[in-house]
Each structure stands twice: as C-alpha cells, then as structure tokens.
Amino acid sequence: MTHLTTIVIFGASGDLTRRKLIPALFHLYKKKRLWEKWRIVGVSRSPMSDEEFRQKMKEGVAEFARHTYDDSEWAAFAEGLHYLPGDLTHLEDLRRLDEMLMEAEQDLDLAHRMYYLSIAPRLYESAIANLGAAGMVAEDTGWRRVVIEKPFGYDLPTAKALNEAVYAVLDESQIYRIDHYLGKETVQNIMVFRFANSLFEPVWNRNYIHHVQITAAETVDVGHRAGYYDGVGVVRDMMQNHMLQLLALVAVEPPASFDADALRNEKVKVLSAVRPITQHEAALHTVRGQYRTYRDAEGVAEKSQTATFAVIRFYIDNWRWQGVPFYLRSGKALARKTTAISIFFKEPPHVMFPMPPNAHISQNQLTICIQPDEGIHFSFQAKVPDSTARMRTVDMDFNYDDAFGPTAIPDAYERLLLDVIKGDASLFTRGDSIELAWELIDPILHGWENNNAPPLTFYESGSWGPIEADRLLAEDDGKWAVGCFEKSDKDNL
Ligand code: BG6
C-alpha cells in the first residue's frame, strides 16, 4: 500500500521550529523512525523559498543539535523539507496549501497529515476554524491530527472557549495538546518506577509519606520574553500545566493498562480530588515572589504584580493522600536550574538509638531528578563506622549517564512527535484535564488580586526565592530539598 505522511508546521519561521521541531524530526529520520515516505511543509507569513527554509533549518540543527549534525544525512533529510508562505487566518492561503499538499498525495492509498500549530495562541481558534472550513481535517484519505502548543487558554473561561472551538471542528482523538514535560524521559519513567517495581507502591501513600515537594527552578530570568511573560507569570506559565501534570503522575492510581485513555482517566481522577484553594485561602497556602530587577526589563509594566516565583501547597482528598501536603515551587532567576520531585517519608515511629534530647532522625528522602543530572536518589540513615550508634545520611544513586550512557536521553519533542504519528495520545493532555487544572489555578490567581492576597515578596536574582517560601514549608516541619545537580555542587550549598 502506498502512503505518505505530511507534517505541516504552521509558524515555521519561529524559534520553536528551528530549536526543537526540526532537530527532533531530523533525529527521528536518523534513527529511521520516520514513516517510510514523509514530507515536512513549513508555513508562515515570511516569504521564503524551499532553499532558504532548508538553509535556515540547517543552521538551527547545527546549533541546537550540534553533536548529532551530519552533513550528508542532513542533505538527504533536507530534500523532504518544503516551504509555503501563507497566513492560516486567511482561508484562501489554506486552500492554496491544501492544493499543494494534494498534488503530492495524488494516486496514494493513504495520505496522513499532522498540522502543528506553533503560532501565537490568540490565533488558535481562527486557525482551527479555518482548517475545518477549508475541508482539511476530514479523514477520508488518511488521519488528520492537530498539535496545539501551550498555553491552552489564559484562564478557565478562555480554556473552555478554546476547547469548544476545537470540538466544533475536531474529534478529541484528532487533538494533541502538547505539554513538553510529559515527553521528558525522566517524567515518563515515573510510571515505570512506580508500577514496574513492587517495592515502592506499598509505601506510596499517607501512611508513609510525610510530604511531597515538586520544584522547577530556573536560573534564567524572563529576558526578551518579558512582553509575553508580564501578566502571565509563573503560575500560568509553569504550574497550570507542567507542575500539575507532575503532581498527577506522582499521585495517580495504577491504570489497568498502558493505553492513553486508561492513564488519562486516572489523571483526571487525581486532579478532581485535589482540594481547591479558594480565593480567601490563597494567603494560607501560597507564596508569590518577584525577582528584584524584574520591573527593569523591557515590556514589563512599571508596577507589575506578575509573580516570577511561587509556591502552592495542595492537598489531595482521597484515601491514598489525605493529609499529605504537595508543595509546588517554581521560579525564574533562581540559584540553580533544577527540576525535581522529592518525596519525604515519615520518621520512624520509635527511635531506640541514643540521641541528644530533641534531636530528630532525618527523614528518608526519595528524589526523582527530572533535569539536569537525571536520575533517582534515595537517602537513608547509616551507622557511622567505629561509633557506638552515630548515624549519618547516605545516598543510593541511579544516574542515567552511568546506567545508559551520556547520550541516551532524547529531547522530549522527539518522543512527542513520534507519538502523534503513531496516534498515541498518552503523553498529551486531554481537554477535561486542562480544564480541571485551570479550575485549581483560577481561584488562586483571583485570590492574588483581592484584599486578602499574600503580599508580593521580592527576592534577589540568584537566590532560592523569598524567605516566605521557607516559612510555608516549615509549617509542615519541612525544609526545601537541595534538588538535582552535581554532587560537588551540592557539597557547596
Ligand atoms: C516553558 C515555559 O513551557 O517551559 C518557560 O514557557 C520555561 O518559561 C520552560 O522556561 C521550561 O522548560 P524546561 O524543559 O527547560 O524545563
């Protein structure tokens, strides 16, 4: 049977295409994972020839996938790259694109198409409506799948409106809402770690777990993205999507099978069980911060209240997690780049060893290092040799580099693009789950605007954020985990 898969990238002159999408597709090509016959068609408003587009993409791959770039393989790959100038908010441009695609699809038994929307989010609705109006999503000759980048909505009402606009044209099975965190190898491994080992699941609950910390810290500030970021802030940018998805994966019940809906149904159950923080409780369970020089950046309002740092403490009202606090912490311009999930276990119920009065045994801690220094570490108590019963915390480490080699981890977009082609939506966010996440986030953001709002606290760039974050965690006798970076770095903290 003859067939062709065409990947149409809308917004092809943008950064995402040359930084992530084309390098990922090039890697898939090198690994021979792209379908036998494929084409990539870039579309955006800038006038460009096929040759100019190829050159621009080549420079992107050479810069962002330096270690895997290879001249001869690139030349063969580049033959599959095409470009068409056009504006997808103009129906006639889409019709022109459709004709161009159909020309290449003639006389084939199957012609599949992926439409990747790497465009300004405010254009999503009209783009999808136009794809429908141009007759480009009907699945008569092959599948038609639409990939939608984040942010999916600005709040609950806009996310609902976007879902409605999408459902007016597409079936849920045709929609792939990207959250690139779900494509990260270390995030996918959470399921394997929890459910392919029998050791952890029995203790993965309120009987043994004291609290959970999920941190996504970045050293970069908002830089040239200030225009986008101001008014959006860390909660919409990182927590509504990436971090709530991480929480869902830590807390989810084991799905019965490894298929998209089984997993996504369970994730929806978790998000439905997260106790909403009402507007009036925002000051009790959240901290918001801004790095001191944020307002100096171009594009930031003079008295901007946008949070560049936040902590949110959630509880999950179900049997497994009742009473266990989940702390989500994220920020820009912090001391280190580290994304990690740290599970703190309860102290032993009785300590028979001689210890100074009021001393505590350190809690066992399991840390899933999402990035960098990907791995999993478990810390526990060991007796210091040649002492009577002195104890010290020691580590058991799993590092991806040691176990699988330094180049084993592919970029998240590789896996995600391949999954779209395969029709596997497990690592994409379903419409109901996006709305549930907004239901949790909206009241917090409203709470930050009213009189009982927690104060906007300021922190130095290069620090770990405002002291209020430490105070909130101290209410549960917790201290922030150091995160994941080289051991030598850790020793210096
Ligand atoms: C994006 C956010 O979704 O994720 C950015 O918009 C953030 O602000 C980025 O920097 C972080 O991604 P990663 O993969 O570097 O953790």
Side-chain angles (χ1 to χ4, degrees):
M1 215 154 58
T2 54
H3 72 262
L4 170 71
T5 301
T6 306
I7 299 160
V8 182
I9 304 174
F10 292 106
S13 62
D15 241 20
L16 185 75
T17 309
R18 53 184 209 103
R19 268 174 183 269
K20 294 287 182 187
L21 303 182
I22 297 292
L25 289 164
F26 179 53
H27 289 155
L28 290 175
Y29 168 78
K30 284 181 63 154
K31 293 177 187 169
K32 303 197 179 351
R33 291 186 186 162
L34 271 190
W35 261 221
E36 261 164 51
K37 245 188 131 204
W38 56 270
R39 268 179 117 216
I40 297 167
V41 180
V43 180
S44 64
R45 282 178 306 183
S46 327
M48 239 189 300
S49 65
D50 279 4
E51 262 328 302
E52 285 167 329
F53 180 59
R54 287 172 186 164
Q55 183 56 30
K56 199 172 152 146
M57 295 304 116
K58 179 177 168 175
E59 285 160 14
V61 174
E63 184 180 350
F64 298 108
R66 213 169 34 252
H67 303 302
T68 50
Y69 178 78
D70 172 289
D71 258 338
S72 65
E73 278 180 300
W74 173 263
F77 173 77
E79 280 175 30
L81 292 183
H82 304 270
Y83 185 78
L84 186 76
D87 184 341
L88 88 169
T89 59
H90 294 162
L91 199 48
E92 55 287 12
D93 285 9
L94 277 186
R95 294 221 160 96
R96 238 172 4 100
L97 169 68
D98 196 30
E99 275 165 29
M100 171 197 171
L101 298 179
M102 282 195 302
E103 222 169 276
E105 291 167 348
Q106 272 174 29
D107 309 324
L108 295 173
D109 296 313
L110 277 174
H112 305 305
R113 292 189 198 169
M114 176 200 308
Y115 303 119
Y116 199 111
L117 303 186
S118 172
I119 54 174
R122 69 190 148 77
L123 301 177
Y124 288 160
E125 288 186 27
S126 61
I128 289 165
N130 275 346
L131 281 172
M136 293 170 72
V137 295
E139 300 196 294
D140 305 333
T141 56
W143 51 254
R144 299 288 180 268
R145 297 178 186 146
V146 180
V147 184
I148 307 177
E149 265 294 332
K150 72 166 269 270
F152 196 92
Y154 180 78
D155 53 15
L156 182 60
T158 50
K160 278 190 168 163
L162 182 53
N163 265 337
E164 271 168 35
V166 167
Y167 293 138
V169 176
L170 301 161
D171 185 71
E172 179 65 48
S173 65
Q174 294 177 282
I175 311 164
Y176 290 75
R177 298 175 195 78
I178 281 226
D179 182 322
H180 77 280
Y181 263 61
L182 295 180
K184 288 183 191 282
E185 198 63 58
T186 43
V187 173
Q188 294 174 49
N189 190 46
I190 297 173
M191 288 289 96
V192 174
F193 179 73
R194 286 192 54 198
F195 303 131
N197 296 299
S198 55
L199 188 61
F200 307 107
E201 206 41 32
V203 297
W204 209 260
N205 55 51
R206 66 187 302 274
N207 298 329
Y208 294 93
I209 292 180
H210 182 265
H211 75 276
V212 176
Q213 298 176 14
I214 304 177
T215 292
E218 296 183 274
T219 47
V220 290
D221 57 22
V222 298
H224 65 279
R225 291 174 78 222
Y228 149 77
Y229 196 86
D230 201 35
V232 171
V234 64
V235 172
R236 287 190 178 91
D237 189 47
M238 292 294 291
M239 294 198 169
Q240 182 274 339
N241 36 65
H242 310 320
M243 301 194 73
L244 275 176
Q245 289 297 320
L246 294 182
L247 175 146
L249 289 171
V250 172
V252 76
E253 293 299 318
S257 66
F258 194 50
D259 81 43
D261 269 325
L263 173 61
R264 298 197 298 177
N265 288 342
E266 291 302 334
K267 277 170 50 180
V268 160
K269 285 187 207 160
V270 175
L271 291 176
S272 321
V274 175
R275 188 187 309 160
I277 296 172
T278 64
Q279 290 191 37
H280 308 290
E281 293 166 338
L284 282 180
H285 295 296
T286 70
V287 170
R288 58 184 184 129
Q290 191 181 79
Y291 60 87
R292 282 196 195 282
T293 54
Y294 173 71
R295 291 176 188 173
D296 302 340
E298 206 182 316
V300 172
E302 210 181 315
K303 293 187 178 157
S304 173
Q305 295 290 302
T306 299
T308 60
F309 173 95
V311 179
I312 302 180
R313 174 172 55 202
F314 280 120
Y315 290 91
I316 302 175
D317 286 331
N318 62 18
W319 273 62
R320 188 191 280 263
W321 294 115
Q322 187 57 241
V324 179
F326 281 70
Y327 285 88
L328 270 47
R329 172 178 66 153
S330 183
K332 300 270 187 204
L334 295 179
R336 301 289 168 119
K337 176 153 177 81
T338 179
T339 303
I341 300 168
S342 299
I343 318 274
F344 286 81
F345 290 87
K346 292 185 172 172
E347 286 175 27
H350 168 70
V351 181
M352 62 183 193
F353 306 106
M355 286 177 71
N358 301 327
H360 285 270
I361 291 196
S362 296
Q363 293 169 323
N364 293 147
Q365 183 186 333
L366 181 88
T367 301
I368 301 174
C369 297
I370 305 295
Q371 66 190 25
D373 295 316
E374 292 82 356
I376 297 180
H377 308 279
F378 183 61
S379 71
F380 58 98
Q381 297 306 304
K383 177 179 168 295
V384 175
D386 208 16
S387 70
T388 317
R390 204 146 52 82
M391 284 171 276
R392 211 187 78 189
T393 305
V394 293
D395 289 330
M396 250 180 343
D397 294 328
F398 150 56
N399 292 301
Y400 275 75
D401 280 7
D402 299 343
F404 299 110
T407 56
I409 298 187
D411 187 77
Y413 279 91
E414 255 183 65
R415 171 65 195 263
L416 295 173
L417 284 163
L418 190 60
D419 279 359
V420 179
I421 295 173
K422 286 188 189 159
D424 181 350
S426 313
L427 302 179
F428 294 80
T429 326
R430 214 168 53 188
D432 47 358
S433 151
I434 291 232
E435 290 185 17
L436 278 167
W438 278 120
E439 277 173 30
L440 296 170
I441 293 304
D442 263 16
I444 296 174
L445 293 175
H446 289 142
W448 283 6
E449 284 163 9
N450 70 23
N451 295 339
N452 305 327
L456 181 67
T457 49
F458 296 91
Y459 61 97
E460 302 301 333
S461 298
S463 71
W464 279 107
I467 190 80
E468 282 73 5
D470 301 5
R471 291 201 188 116
L472 188 69
L473 187 56
E475 289 173 14
D476 286 303
D477 298 326
K479 282 201 178 119
W480 291 108
V482 255
C484 300
F485 23 83
E486 306 247 336
K487 271 227 168 78
S488 51
D489 277 350
K490 253 185 209 173
D491 293 341
N492 293 330
L493 287 171

